């Protein structure tokens, strides 16, 4: 395995107060809107900096075109993904509630019990039992052999007790496997073709200079900016290569509560609300996922005795892929991100969801809902090597094999063909397990 | 948090009130007057352990670094009410920063251990490095 960044132990990350010595936004140039795209350059990638929020996609997310005439259908169904969701949840020892199967059906319970609701969540759950759930998460509810219980520090990118799943604490058996060799600080420049439909070597930059390594099967998993950049440098063209860079449009609100002491949940984010997620409205505007936080990013309240009467929420709205939001490389191989903004579909979804919040939050004693602004990034870059059944409208096929280069598999969120409202990390992990099964002949590729 | 750029305007307002000798006060005061005023305003009747307050101000200094405009504003605000002169948006940002200051002080103190016992001396002990929510239950 070639890894661009260094191997940084968790204590080194904590001591320096940063996940990587390479700032993500230093690895590309922005053209258009100067929007941040957050990721970690280093062994373990996004598992270092993620907050460990792991909802599954809604079954409708896989059939957006068929159901609502928007975007495209995925080349894989929820039913086909379910065992891989389950496998990914078991590998990462995910905590979650049993009753969420109403939204996303599941074959077995979550490996870990759910976290504890906050007071606001409990009222929501009582009024909306089929729409409000404990948020599934890779932050441990109970200690396991690798991790202690989450103790609500609210600094998950640098969790001081290492309670969330990361590659560092969860994949030791892989890094210690004598058949696995990981070369860090090895920046891949390009993959080199050996014929019209295959690649045979990977050229990379290392401290000792440029080198090559052979590959029978090449798996590319940089991220939605650098995976397409590598293919562009390699001259492996496709009209959609690098296009459609996206993430959810997110905004934050603070709900001031009248007389309800909140914040007594057991982790940073405790509630997942699906009231505005799915429905016929998605033919007109994006669905919204309502995330109930248990932290107080704006501070405790200042009025005597009302310190805890607050609820912080983040709302993430699905976007539509815009081809003009793209990745390019110049003649020197340097990477540029061209971002013109979110789609009108997402903007309408945000506006509508904000307007409907008072109705959704009716079970709570709401004193005031304060809009806190749009969030600069959801740290979910995706969509630049989209998967699909046809070469004309996708870069990789339903097995995540490149349509033209048949020994090149792409993994990670770059293959997502639409931008559903929720965090994509669990789905990317499940897709990777599925792609591995197909490559190993354990699952059908059709 | 209020960015340094946005504090340019506040600095100008504050600067008008602090021209003669005030700048030196702003540097040496290191937020003490401003923070003490915030705490006294929202916690009337409470006292603040001086050593704990000094520790909190050191922590806040570390976090803010050399945000000169903020220091200047904070120092002047500790003496006269400059905030009322600010445009609405900047005043909102200052109020949000004051709330964050108030919150960080309380969360790092023994306040939530025994505030229901009524006004007392509050001792700041330091920003919790882990498991720091005083409200979380498991």
């Amino acid at each position: 395995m070639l890894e661009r960044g260094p191997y940084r132990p968790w204590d080194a990350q904590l001591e320096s107060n940063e996940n990587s010595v390479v700032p993500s936004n230093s690895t590309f140039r922005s053209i258009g809107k100067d929007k941040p795209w957050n990721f970690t350059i280093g062994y373990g990638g996004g598992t270092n900096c993620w907050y460990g929020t792991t909802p599954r996609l809604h079954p409708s997310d896989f059939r957006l075109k068929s159901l609502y005439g928007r975007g495209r259908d995925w080349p894989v169904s929820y039913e086909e993904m379910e065992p891989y969701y389950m496998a990914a949840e078991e590998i990462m020892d995910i905590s979650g509630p049993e009753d969420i199967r109403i939204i996303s059906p599941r074959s077995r319970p979550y490996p870990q019990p759910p976290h504890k609701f906050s007071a606001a969540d409990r009222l929501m759950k009582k009024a909306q039992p089929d729409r409000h759930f404990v948020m599934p998460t890779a932050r441990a509810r109970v200690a396991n052999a690798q991790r202690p219980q989450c103790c609500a520090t609210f600094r998950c990118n640098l969790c001081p007790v290492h309670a969330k799943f990361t590659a560092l604490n969860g994949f030791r058996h892989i890094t210690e496997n004598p058949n696995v060799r990981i070369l860090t600080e090895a920046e891949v420049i390009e993959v080199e073709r050996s014929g019209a439909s295959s690649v045979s070597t990977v050229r990379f930059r290392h401290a000792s200079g440029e080198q090559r390594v052979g590959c029978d099967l090449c798996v590319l998993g940089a991220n939605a900016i650098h995976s397409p950049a590598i293919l562009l440098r390699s001259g492996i063209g496709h009209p959609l290569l690098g296009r459609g860079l996206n993430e959810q449009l997110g905004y934050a609100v603070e709900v001031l509560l009248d007389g309800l002491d909140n914040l007594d949940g057991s982790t940073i984010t405790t509630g997942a609300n699906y009231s505005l997620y799915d429905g016929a409205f998605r033919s007109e505007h994006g669905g919204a996922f309502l995330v109930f936080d248990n932290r107080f990013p704006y501070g405790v309240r200042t009025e005597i005795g009302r310190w805890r009467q607050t609820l912080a929420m983040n709302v993430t709205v699905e976007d539509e892929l815009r081809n003009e939001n793209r990745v390019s490389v110049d003649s020197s191989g340097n990477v540029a991100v061209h971002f013109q903004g979110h789609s009108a579909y997402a903007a309408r979804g945000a506006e509508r969801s904000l307007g409907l919040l008072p109705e959704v939050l009716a079970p709570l004693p709401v004193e005031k809902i304060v809009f806190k602004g749009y969030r600069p990034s959801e740290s979910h870059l995706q969509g630049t090597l989209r998967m699909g059944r046809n070469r004309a409208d996708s870069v990789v096929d339903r097995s995540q094999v490149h349509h033209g280069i048949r020994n090149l598999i792409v993994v990670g969120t770059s293959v997502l063909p639409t931008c559903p409202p929720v965090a994509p990390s669990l789905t990317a992990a499940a897709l990777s397990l599925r792609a591995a099964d197909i490559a190993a002949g354990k699952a059908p590729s059709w | 948090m209020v960015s340094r750029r946005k504090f340019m305007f506040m600095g100008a307002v504050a600067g008008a009130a602090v021209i003669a000798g005030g700048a030196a006060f702003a540097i040496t005061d290191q937020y003490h007057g401003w923070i003490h005023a915030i705490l006294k305003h929202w916690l009337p009747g409470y006292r603040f352990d001086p050593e704990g307050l000094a520790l909190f101000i050191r922590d806040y200094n570390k976090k803010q670094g050399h945000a000169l405009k903020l220091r200047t504003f904070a120092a002047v605000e500790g003496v006269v009410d400059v905030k009322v002169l600010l445009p609405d948006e900047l005043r909102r940002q200052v109020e949000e920063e004051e709330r964050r200051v108030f919150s960080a002080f309380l969360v790092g103190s023994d306040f939530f251990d025994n505030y229901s016992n009524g006004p007392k001396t509050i001792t700041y002990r330091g920003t919790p490095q882990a498991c720091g929510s005083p409200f979380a239950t498991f």
Side-chain angles (χ1 to χ4, degrees):
Chain A
M1 185 174 106
L2 301 174
E3 164 57 53
R4 176 175 178 171
Y7 178 95
R8 297 193 83 209
W10 196 244
D11 52 359
Q13 295 187 33
L14 285 180
E15 195 175 331
S16 63
N17 202 34
E18 58 189 8
N19 296 112
S20 173
V21 292
V22 184
S24 52
N25 287 328
S26 73
T27 64
F28 60 88
R29 185 166 58 98
S30 284
I31 297 173
K33 291 193 175 177
D34 192 13
K35 179 186 183 313
W37 299 92
N38 301 326
F39 47 87
T40 298
I41 298 284
Y43 171 75
T47 69
N48 291 285
C49 60
W50 77 325
Y51 273 50
T53 300
T54 55
R56 294 181 176 191
L57 297 190
H58 190 289
S60 297
D61 293 331
F62 295 87
R63 302 178 59 222
L64 204 59
K65 183 75 174 177
S66 299
L67 291 172
Y68 308 120
R70 304 299 299 221
R72 64 196 63 220
D73 287 349
W74 287 41
V76 55
S77 66
Y78 181 89
E79 292 70 26
E80 191 184 348
M81 285 291 290
E82 202 286 329
Y84 295 104
Y85 271 134
M86 202 65 243
E89 287 161 351
E90 287 176 349
I91 288 169
M92 294 191 280
D93 205 18
I94 299 297
S95 148
E98 178 64 15
D99 59 356
I100 204 169
R101 65 172 63 239
I102 301 169
I103 299 292
S104 42
R106 48 188 308 110
S107 53
R108 294 192 294 280
Y110 278 101
Q112 288 221 355
H115 269 277
K116 189 179 170 203
F117 266 151
S118 69
D121 288 313
R122 288 193 292 276
L123 287 181
M124 292 297 296
K125 182 67 180 176
K126 192 173 175 187
Q128 302 172 1
D130 57 345
R131 283 178 279 160
H132 198 85
F133 304 91
V134 177
M135 180 70 84
T137 178
R139 300 181 295 272
R141 176 69 175 110
V142 293
N144 63 19
Q146 290 83 35
R147 294 180 274 146
Q149 177 188 1
C150 169
C151 63
T153 299
F154 307 157
R155 197 161 58 99
C156 303
N157 61 318
L158 291 162
C159 175
V161 299
H162 216 174
K164 71 174 180 185
F165 171 88
T166 70
L168 294 169
N169 63 28
F171 285 159
R172 286 186 191 129
H173 61 292
I174 295 174
T175 54
E176 290 166 3
N177 186 321
N179 293 321
V180 176
R181 185 178 170 212
I182 300 172
L183 184 62
T184 57
E185 300 179 76
E187 182 184 356
V188 171
I189 302 167
E190 64 174 340
V191 289
E192 297 175 321
R193 296 165 80 139
S194 53
S197 61
S198 64
V199 292
S200 58
T201 51
V202 176
R203 187 162 68 92
F204 64 96
R205 195 178 290 121
H206 194 249
S208 52
E210 279 192 17
Q211 297 183 37
R212 285 181 168 78
V213 63
C215 60
D216 298 319
L217 177 67
C218 181
V219 180
L220 176 61
N223 59 40
I225 291 174
H226 290 290
S227 283
I230 288 168
L231 294 187
L232 286 166
R233 283 197 294 262
S234 308
I236 297 175
H238 186 287
L240 293 174
L241 175 60
R243 293 186 179 272
L245 179 66
N246 70 85
E247 66 171 351
Q248 298 79 14
L249 174 59
Y251 65 87
V253 298
E254 181 183 19
V255 183
L256 301 176
L257 300 167
D258 187 2
L260 179 68
D261 281 344
N262 194 33
L263 307 175
D264 56 340
S266 59
T267 189
I268 184 171
T269 294
T270 47
N273 191 288
Y274 288 83
S275 293
L276 304 176
Y277 192 111
D278 186 46
F281 63 81
R282 288 174 89 178
S283 63
E284 300 296 328
H285 58 77
F289 186 49
L290 313 181
V291 177
F292 283 54
D293 272 358
N294 184 52
R295 58 178 157 171
F296 36 101
Y298 316 110
V300 298
R301 289 186 67 168
T302 54
E303 303 97 314
I304 292 282
R306 301 189 67 188
W307 334 110
R308 299 164 55 181
Q309 293 176 18
T310 176
L311 163 67
M313 289 180 65
N314 292 320
V315 179
T316 51
V317 182
E318 71 181 323
D319 202 356
E320 278 191 325
L321 276 61
R322 299 178 66 193
N323 286 341
E324 57 268 41
N325 292 336
R326 64 187 176 94
V327 175
S328 69
V329 295
D330 64 20
S331 56
S332 303
N334 298 313
V335 183
V337 168
H338 309 249
F339 188 72
Q340 306 303 321
H342 291 280
S343 66
Y345 181 76
R348 287 195 300 272
E351 192 179 348
R352 177 182 180 269
S353 61
L354 187 58
L356 288 173
L357 270 187
E359 187 180 318
V360 174
L361 299 178
L364 301 178
V366 174
E367 177 185 326
K368 190 178 181 185
I369 298 173
V370 184
F371 179 71
K372 289 292 188 179
Y374 285 97
R375 288 152 55 91
S377 175
E378 294 302 314
S379 308
H380 297 157
L381 57 166
Q382 54 196 35
T384 48
L385 296 167
R386 66 191 77 165
M387 65 191 298
R389 291 187 181 276
N390 304 311
R391 191 172 186 158
D393 67 0
S394 57
V395 180
V396 301
D397 68 15
R398 69 182 302 278
S399 307
Q400 295 174 236
V401 177
H402 189 277
H403 279 300
I405 309 296
R406 301 307 294 167
N407 67 340
L408 175 65
I409 296 176
V410 179
V411 294
T413 53
S414 59
V415 304
L416 269 55
T418 61
C419 175
V422 295
S425 306
L426 178 76
T427 298
L431 281 170
S432 298
L433 292 170
R434 175 179 167 275
D437 260 10
I438 294 171
K442 296 179 185 172
S445 59
W446 40 267
Chain B
M1 182 168 307
V2 182
S3 72
R4 289 187 65 180
R5 190 157 53 100
K6 286 180 176 165
F7 264 101
M8 291 292 285
F9 178 82
M10 290 189 285
V13 172
V18 79
I19 284 172
F25 173 62
I27 300 302
T28 55
D29 176 73
Q30 304 207 326
Y31 303 115
H32 184 281
W34 180 57
I35 288 171
H36 196 233
I38 291 168
L39 297 176
K40 277 202 312 189
H41 175 73
W42 279 316
L43 292 169
Y46 283 83
R47 296 180 301 278
F48 308 100
D49 168 64
E51 285 183 21
L53 188 58
L55 174 62
F56 179 72
I57 290 163
R58 278 202 298 278
D59 284 352
Y60 192 72
N61 261 301
K62 243 185 267 177
K63 182 180 154 203
Q64 288 298 337
H66 298 288
L68 184 61
K69 300 295 180 189
L70 176 56
R71 287 185 175 206
T72 307
F73 170 81
V76 177
E77 179 69 12
V79 179
V80 293
D81 189 1
V82 183
K83 204 165 55 184
V84 296
L85 301 175
L86 300 176
D88 288 349
E89 175 61 15
L90 281 178
R91 187 165 64 245
R92 183 187 63 77
Q93 291 181 29
V94 169
E95 285 167 354
E96 286 179 354
E97 182 66 14
E98 290 180 347
R99 182 177 166 193
R100 276 190 285 265
V101 166
F102 173 73
S103 183
F105 179 85
L106 289 193
V107 169
S109 76
D110 59 355
F111 179 75
F112 289 112
D113 296 341
N114 48 20
Y115 78 84
S116 57
N117 297 334
K120 61 178 284 289
T121 300
I122 303 170
T123 302
Y124 176 80
R125 299 174 291 207
T127 305
Q129 294 304 304
C131 319
S133 171
F135 315 119
T137 56
F138 300 96

